[in-house]
Amino acid sequence: MIAAIRGTHDILPGEVEKWQLVEETARQLCARYGYLELRTPIIEHEELFAKGTGESTDIVQKEMYSFTDKGGERVTMRPEATPSMVRAFVEHNLEQTLPAAKLFAMGPMFRYERPQKGRYRQFHQLDVEVFGVNDPAIDAEVIDLAWMLIAALGIERAELVVNSVGCAQCRPAFQEALLKALGDDLPRLCEDCQRRARTNPLRIYDCKVEADQPIIDRLPHSIDYLCEPCATHFRDVRAHLDAFGIPWSLSHRLVRGLDYYTRTTFEILGQALGAQNALLGGGRYDGLVKDLGGPDRPGIGFAAGLERLVLALPASAAPAVPARAFVVAIGDDGRREALVLLRELRAAGLAAQMEFEAKGVRAQMKRADRLQARVALIVGGDELARGEVTLRTMANGDQRSAPRADIVEIVRGLLT
Ligand code: AMP
């Protein structure tokens, strides 16, 4: 037997209904907030992520599924959606063609990470992005949409954490203060942190190495180094969240794993997810559109991990069994008519099934039970001679006869 690749997983019937619930809830919410769906390819030029996600990130350094295709082109299976969304925004000049550049996408992402609960090599994200809006109200709208999603899914005890990492003007002073505060401690940090100190010192806050934590806890906080416009922006974002009644807390360590973030960063953390407790995360990336060859437009967005949302769903979120009918055939004549009736029900928009292999009535009824059918339609020689069908309500076993000609409408009434 050839098994699935490590870090990938099948989403089986029984589980997939939860995915459909999450996806459907996300789609409805995005529509309500005015976000339009954009579908981008899974493969892109490697350069898009090297530039977009950032050379100094763990993703680009160690986790990308990149290969040379048959034409000699370096291609990457997307590790995240934002660079692709920016590319599509620029390539199709969407700011001219769309009423507002508020977009969402859903689909698989690929990162060569160490698999564990809530962390996979092929996983799925809902990605939400807005281009071209500076106002702090859009930061609040995006965070609110994320918060609403969690609430709509019935996920309890989720926690919103926010931070501001400043902008190109104020970040250099913060980085300098960070390196200065590290001083003699730097050589004692892990190898990754040594690299981060050279390439992007803020990333040191991402470090999960136990021994490094006491040193990192003593480092300065980005919000103490914000320039006036960044400080005002962050204050306004928090004021909007307060006005919405969305509880938040400040996390100095929230710099996020990607290079492009500016100003607002945020995450929503879930309970009972173990070490991988981030349900979603995002922030502002005001320089990214320009860096990727587009106009100088700000951007903000978030990505939610669908696996983690599904894991965090309350047990009560199990989607209801769809109402369906089951057709039971007795004898060859019955079977011929049962097949026609089955098709009529389906053509009328009703969910209906039949058992083709088991011949006995008892075996067919058993199947109807397993399928949790609401009603069984029994079609046999006697019934046919009378121009009738026997209707059985599965919940209580009540049976009655109904005219063959009216049966579709009667079943519709019972199922809807
Ligand atoms: P990121 O794109 O790293 O900001 O991640 C955004 C969200 O995607 C996280 O909060 C997780 O919910 C999810 N996520 C990221 N990496 C993985 C992974 N390897 N497996 C499953 N979910 C992930």
Side-chain angles (χ1 to χ4, degrees):
M1 208 244 349
I2 301 170
I5 290 179
R6 183 166 137 83
T8 71
H9 60 109
D10 300 308
I11 304 168
L12 301 176
E15 181 75 2
V16 84
E17 291 77 9
K18 292 187 198 164
W19 281 76
Q20 289 163 350
L21 177 79
V22 169
E23 289 161 359
E24 193 47 39
T25 307
R27 271 179 214 290
Q28 282 176 9
L29 265 180
C30 285
R32 210 188 294 166
Y33 280 69
Y35 290 73
L36 304 174
E37 184 172 358
L38 167 63
R39 300 187 188 188
T40 64
I42 281 169
I43 51 173
E44 299 268 6
H45 293 295
E46 183 177 37
E47 193 191 352
L48 179 68
F49 302 106
K51 266 196 183 160
T53 308
E55 291 282 7
S56 80
T57 60
D58 281 358
I59 293 179
V60 173
Q61 292 277 324
K62 331 185 225 190
E63 298 169 3
M64 291 213 298
Y65 278 88
S66 297
F67 60 96
T68 306
D69 73 8
K70 290 188 169 37
E73 190 117 41
R74 287 296 290 171
V75 164
T76 295
M77 289 163 72
R78 63 180 182 194
E80 57 146 345
T82 305
S84 306
M85 299 291 267
V86 173
R87 179 197 53 67
F89 169 74
V90 175
E91 191 168 333
H92 305 288
N93 198 10
L94 292 182
E95 74 180 343
Q96 299 302 324
T97 51
L98 293 180
K102 304 209 309 185
L103 302 164
F104 79 94
M106 255 190 274
M109 307 291 153
F110 304 84
R111 296 183 195 172
Y112 198 79
E113 294 194 88
R114 198 169 50 76
Q116 55 176 267
K117 183 182 176 193
R119 191 161 76 188
Y120 308 92
R121 290 181 174 168
Q122 175 176 338
F123 60 99
H124 301 75
Q125 287 184 336
L126 160 72
D127 187 69
V128 172
E129 313 284 357
V130 185
F131 301 112
V133 186
N134 264 312
D135 197 288
I138 199 73
D139 302 44
E141 175 179 291
V142 167
I143 295 172
D144 175 40
L145 171 54
W147 188 253
M148 279 283 189
L149 174 65
I150 302 300
L153 292 173
I155 297 172
E156 284 171 356
R157 291 178 297 136
E159 228 183 285
L160 168 66
V161 288
V162 297
N163 193 19
S164 175
V165 293
C167 66
Q169 268 67 51
C170 52
R171 192 167 318 150
F174 171 56
Q175 290 199 353
E176 204 175 302
L178 195 75
L179 289 173
K180 199 162 156 223
L182 265 178
D184 299 342
D185 285 335
L186 181 57
R188 284 196 292 188
L189 291 180
C190 69
E191 225 171 86
D192 277 339
C193 281
Q194 310 283 334
R195 174 174 57 79
R196 291 172 177 135
R198 286 191 303 275
T199 56
N200 188 347
L202 259 72
R203 292 274 81 75
I204 289 173
Y205 276 112
D206 285 343
C207 178
K208 303 269 181 334
V209 175
E210 201 67 39
D212 290 3
Q213 301 311 309
I215 298 173
I216 296 171
D217 284 340
R218 287 198 300 272
L219 296 177
H221 300 157
S222 57
I223 56 159
D224 296 328
Y225 292 82
L226 298 181
C227 60
E228 181 49 34
C230 282
T232 306
H233 185 96
F234 192 41
R235 196 195 57 220
D236 289 351
V237 173
R238 287 175 297 173
H240 288 307
L241 295 178
D242 288 339
F244 294 169
I246 300 177
W248 54 270
S249 61
L250 193 65
S251 169
H252 300 298
R253 300 209 37 171
L254 187 62
V255 297
R256 313 250 319 118
L258 312 173
D259 273 2
Y260 47 63
Y261 284 110
T262 56
R263 294 192 164 175
T264 316
T265 53
F266 64 95
E267 274 184 356
I268 296 182
L269 311 174
Q271 309 285 327
L273 287 170
Q276 305 301 318
N277 67 342
L279 292 167
L280 59 88
R284 213 168 237 290
Y285 47 87
D286 290 344
L288 184 63
V289 179
K290 187 154 181 267
D291 285 352
L292 289 177
D296 191 3
R297 298 288 180 274
I300 179 165
F302 72 83
L306 299 188
E307 278 79 2
R308 296 194 195 168
L309 293 179
V310 168
L311 270 172
L313 280 180
S316 58
V321 181
R324 48 170 96 89
F326 192 91
V327 183
V328 176
I330 305 173
D332 287 343
D333 289 350
R335 185 178 155 103
R336 251 189 307 281
E337 184 59 23
L339 285 166
V340 172
L341 175 55
L342 178 68
R343 187 164 178 277
E344 272 176 40
L345 291 165
R346 290 169 172 172
L350 302 171
Q353 267 164 269
M354 223 180 117
E355 166 64 58
F356 293 154
E357 298 287 328
K359 294 284 190 282
V361 172
R362 186 194 285 271
Q364 294 182 61
M365 291 306 287
K366 217 166 158 182
R367 178 74 70 181
D369 256 342
R370 278 196 66 184
L371 287 167
Q372 293 177 268
R374 202 173 284 182
V375 58
L377 289 71
I378 303 162
V379 186
D382 293 353
E383 282 93 349
L384 279 178
R386 293 196 303 270
E388 286 178 344
V389 167
T390 301
L391 268 180
R392 180 186 173 94
T393 309
M394 295 302 288
N396 57 15
D398 284 354
Q399 285 196 185
R400 64 184 164 109
S401 294
R404 169 69 179 87
D406 301 342
I407 195 73
V408 172
E409 282 320 304
I410 294 172
V411 172
R412 188 197 302 286
L414 292 172
L415 294 189
T416 50

